Amino acid sequence: MTEQAPGSHHPQPRPRSGGPQSAPVEHVTGAQSLIRSLEEVGADTVFGIPGGTILPAYDPMMDSSTVRHVLVRHEQGAGHAATGYAQATGRVGVCMATSGPGATNLVTPIGDAHMDSVPIVAITGQVASKAIGTDAFQEADICGITMPITKHNFLVTKAEDIPRTIAEAFHIASTGRPGPVLVDIPKDVLQARTTFSWPPQIDLPGYRPVTKPHAKQIREAARLITQAERPVLYVGGGVIKAQATAELKVLAELTGAPVTTTLMALGAFPDSHHLHLGMPGMHGTVAAVTALQKADLIVALGARFDDRVTGKLDSFAPFAKIVHADIDPAEIGKNRAADVPIVGDAREVLADLVVAVQAEHDAGRAGDYTGWWEDLNRWRETYPLGYDQPTDGSLSPQQVIQRIGQLAPEDTIFAAGVGQHQMWAAHFIDYETPATWLNSGGAGTMGYAVPAAMGAKAGVEGRTVWAIDGDGCFQMTNQELATCALNNIPIKVAIINNGALGMVRQWQTLFYNQRYSNTVLHSGPDTPVQRNLGTRVPDFVKLSEAMGCVGLRCEDPADLDAVIEKANAINDRPVVVDFIVHEDAMVWPMVAAGTSNDEILAARDTRPDFGDGEDD
């Protein structure tokens, strides 16, 4: 991957190292040095909440003409907003919190960014240096707590180290495999007097990400591609982060091989392209899942053979040789042994593969995938994505999401929560370009959508941003709607309201004999189910209006388009639409957890028949 993620409309200046030094500015505090450093690395937006130990940094931030602070309502919102900002813009997202609970409230979004390789820098205050280790008020060892879920973290002990630390943090977060970096600064260090100069000298011994792939491995991969009869390009989020989508399209069209894009890679390859089979995995398309199972060669590009893609690992793609290309050498061979391991930036890997495959073609060695495509086309024609309309006249959640996608302005960014609505949004909205689909893939964090949409909208103000959320997810972080209303961040939120924790309920339907233990959200254990009776707890329309948003509700399919169009027309305030949908809708296809991808169900109790032989 390159040091900036894809979809970047505002290239972020890279922290400079070496070269002529600017004249030192005497008599600044550590806090002033921090804000000056953020200005120099090109950070234009910080999401955060002040508190005792970080408070010194908030005073000079008030005087900055380039750093905008967005006062969130919960630190988790700050972290997810930084992630949404980074995913939408390709730049490093920044969040800030005080010590103790402020810092620990960032743990979930930091872990989320770590799992999905998102470049964010979290800046936290810490108790005074002499108080560290004494169980001081609001003390937490945030460096120790986040060590497993950050790419790197720093405890700054001297004010003069602040510029170098910030430069290094941004460099580490945005280069190689992107990821979160935490900078913890004690209060006395922020208050100390120091000097400021820029650029600092970056010194990171041992940190040398390999970007250029080995030529021999590239040639071997090209040879396997042209020799294969049933190849598949298995594309992960690393291709988007490397801004390698153009190169991917060239390689796919040059080879004629089918393409599957993971949940984190939607938009890396146009959904409408004839070579695209869709998303693989637990809720992937039948064609994509089966193609990987039947392949004789898998070319994995910026993907990590996640368990949600592979299903039962020892039964995954039993006939396939593996070419695995990734910027992170730790991923190669971690879950599946690679026949051809390639360490390198995805854009450079793809560019070199195009040249090598073309050389194979020029030498008269081109793959013949005619029979393979006959199988692939039969599978996708026989088992297309679809859904049934409810027989009681209620709203279909799939139709709601599909129409939002169809009626949205061009270049709309969609951020999804986690659960059924996430999978429906992945399936029934078309993603033609990168950085238009934001979600919590690896961590599966409920509550991600609203603050991530807020961060995305703050970063790309001219584009429409829809958050596709569930009523369960929405109730975890909806307080950030107040942040949006007060900071002129007019996102749009679709609540897919089925009155339940939908994905958990689906599992209870399938695997727990329909015993719906603690998954109903619209009634309590001692109150009757109150659905369509005019009493809802909470009333999402009233709640949204109370936070300065426009609140709408849609229950009748006949009103669906008009309500969506009304939401699209409102751009001066956040809009929340409460879509009351049928509670029994399920996500299909599905591979049950812990089972083989060969056991994919196209619908309940409906397993596709692919025959018995490896060449079927």
Side-chain angles (χ1 to χ4, degrees), residues 38 43-48 61 67-71 94-96:
L38 290 174
D44 60 10
T45 306
V46 175
F47 303 92
M61 197 185 325
V67 177
R68 172 195 187 192
H69 183 269
V70 177
L71 177 61
V94 186
C95 54
M96 189 175 287

Side-chain angles (χ1 to χ4, degrees), residues 280-310:
M282 174 178 277
H283 293 293
T285 66
V286 170
V289 172
T290 309
L292 289 173
Q293 285 300 96
K294 302 292 188 181
D296 64 358
L297 176 68
I298 292 175
V299 182
L301 301 162
R304 57 189 179 88
F305 291 89
D306 173 68
D307 64 285
R308 282 302 190 260
V309 168
T310 66

